[in-house]
Amino acid sequence: MIDALARRAAGQAAARRAASEPVTTPTPDFAALFAAERSFLWGLCDRMTGVAADADDLVQDTFTRAMTQPPARTDMPWRPWLVRVAMNLSRDHLRRRRRSPYRGPWLPSPIETDDALPAYEIPAERGSPTEGRYELLESVSYAFLLALEALTPAQRAVLLLRDVFDYSVRETSDALGLSEPNVKTTHHRARRAMAAYDRARCRPDAARHAATQTALARLMGALASDDVPALEALLAADVHTLTDGGEFPAAHRPVRGRERVIKLLRGLMRKGGAKAIPEPRLINGLPALLMTYDLPAKFAPRGVLRCEVDADGRITALHGVYASRKLTAVH
């Protein structure tokens, strides 16, 4: 009996000593960690901000934080901690961006994609890119990213983690520092704000791919030949254009209506568009054109032209992105 009590006391003393001693953890291999986690974090940050260059900066800041202020236990899996830091930084960045004035319409960054996934991204660790409510490729489409702009930073973060990256309520709670009831409420409000998008989902499937490619070819052909009837047949009556010029001269307001859009396009062709060199690219999951211009230095040297089409193949929206910071993911 005495021996048993002595052994128990000795064990308790050893436990107290172990608890008072610092935990020794291995020194992380940050180069390997960066290589393993960069693409996943970039995908999160790009969807949170809609700007590829901002995603680059946020991922860099996340790993700087990992090296200068690492978690207490570096022997534990790093991804949850990295996601928590990246999402906090992204939400803060999004709040600052929305408080700052922006010259003209704001459009997401074009990013080059292959036939399945964004070029800079790997699937979530669960393996399948289609387990969430929205597929990974759909979640970088222009229609989806523009719809996300209606959400608050918290709603955007919850929706992305829950419906794109298939995080559970508990995982989302841990990643964002929100209570589980708060996550559920925020998620419900985010889905409600996405209702208009959900009624007309923009899945970059084969049919939409073909329709978009055909529409762009017809548009360039009609502009090159100044074929007004062809333009009238191609453009929907309520077509509109948005131009994100950034530091370059551009239309600072949307242009709406078939006649006004045709007038704008023909005017641009006369001012130098006829000399533009179009290169077909797969941008944000759908065909688009990388345009290279031979214009005076004050004008954009290049830009991305893309469109949305309706069920009849008519163009309903034209987007032009010329801001140099928006084109860092297009080469």
Side-chain angles (χ1 to χ4, degrees):
M1 183 69 173
I2 294 176
D3 290 342
L5 291 174
R7 286 195 299 272
R8 181 181 300 177
Q12 291 172 344
R16 286 195 297 271
R17 287 196 302 272
S20 65
E21 294 175 356
V23 176
T24 302
T25 59
T27 301
D29 182 346
F30 287 109
L33 182 65
F34 185 83
E37 300 293 350
R38 176 191 180 277
S39 294
F40 183 77
L41 294 175
W42 192 94
L44 283 173
C45 295
D46 179 60
R47 289 169 176 82
M48 275 295 295
T49 65
V51 180
D54 292 344
D56 290 336
D57 292 343
L58 290 166
V59 171
Q60 189 67 40
D61 291 345
T62 298
F63 279 98
T64 298
R65 184 80 58 86
M67 290 185 285
T68 59
Q69 303 174 48
R73 293 293 303 272
T74 58
D75 58 330
M76 301 293 287
W78 274 84
R79 178 169 288 188
W81 186 88
L82 291 170
V83 167
R84 190 178 309 119
V85 172
M87 294 302 274
N88 283 334
L89 292 173
S90 295
R91 282 182 289 174
D92 289 344
H93 177 86
L94 189 56
R95 293 185 189 102
R96 289 193 300 271
R97 192 197 84 197
R98 290 180 173 179
R99 288 195 298 264
S100 302
Y102 193 81
R103 188 184 181 192
W106 184 95
L107 289 172
S109 283
I111 60 171
E112 293 191 64
T113 51
D114 59 22
D115 290 334
L117 293 171
Y120 298 101
E121 188 175 66
I122 56 175
E125 62 183 355
R126 291 162 177 78
S128 170
T130 59
E131 288 180 0
R133 182 183 181 94
Y134 305 107
E135 297 182 2
L136 283 177
L137 190 58
E138 178 185 0
S139 69
V140 294
S141 69
Y142 253 60
F144 186 82
L145 292 173
L146 287 172
L148 290 180
E149 286 296 301
L151 308 184
T152 67
Q155 289 171 350
R156 189 165 181 158
V158 169
L159 185 93
L160 289 173
L161 290 178
R162 294 284 288 121
D163 287 346
V164 174
F165 292 94
D166 200 32
Y167 272 46
S168 68
V169 172
R170 175 170 292 183
E171 289 171 322
T172 304
S173 171
D174 292 341
L176 301 179
L178 302 173
S179 68
E180 291 187 24
N182 197 350
V183 167
K184 292 177 181 179
T185 300
T186 303
H187 189 204
H188 174 74
R189 290 173 178 169
R191 281 191 170 181
R192 187 170 58 194
M194 293 288 286
Y197 171 82
D198 289 337
R199 286 193 293 268
R201 293 275 292 271
C202 180
R203 295 181 176 90
D205 54 23
R208 189 176 293 269
H209 184 289
T212 303
Q213 190 171 48
T214 298
L216 285 171
R218 290 175 60 193
L219 176 67
M220 298 309 294
L223 288 174
S225 60
D226 197 27
D227 189 340
V228 175
L231 288 171
E232 291 175 340
L234 175 61
L235 301 179
D238 59 349
V239 64
H240 70 275
T241 68
L242 293 174
T243 305
D244 189 334
E247 70 272 35
F248 299 109
H252 294 154
R253 294 181 180 179
V255 177
R256 302 183 184 278
R258 183 189 291 138
E259 291 184 5
R260 296 184 66 192
V261 169
I262 290 176
K263 182 179 179 180
L264 172 68
L265 294 175
R266 294 179 72 202
L268 292 174
M269 287 295 288
R270 287 193 295 269
K271 291 180 180 179
K275 296 181 180 179
I277 302 173
E279 298 178 48
R281 297 294 178 88
L282 200 58
I283 299 290
N284 296 80
L286 290 171
L289 297 173
L290 174 62
M291 309 292 292
T292 304
Y293 301 97
D294 183 13
L295 295 170
K298 70 174 183 177
F299 295 101
R302 66 180 192 140
V304 166
L305 177 67
R306 66 170 308 279
C307 69
E308 298 287 349
V309 298
D310 62 17
D312 297 319
R314 290 173 299 190
I315 294 176
T316 59
L318 282 166
H319 297 144
V321 182
Y322 304 98
S324 56
R325 184 168 175 80
K326 296 286 185 72
L327 299 175
T328 59
V330 179
H331 305 287

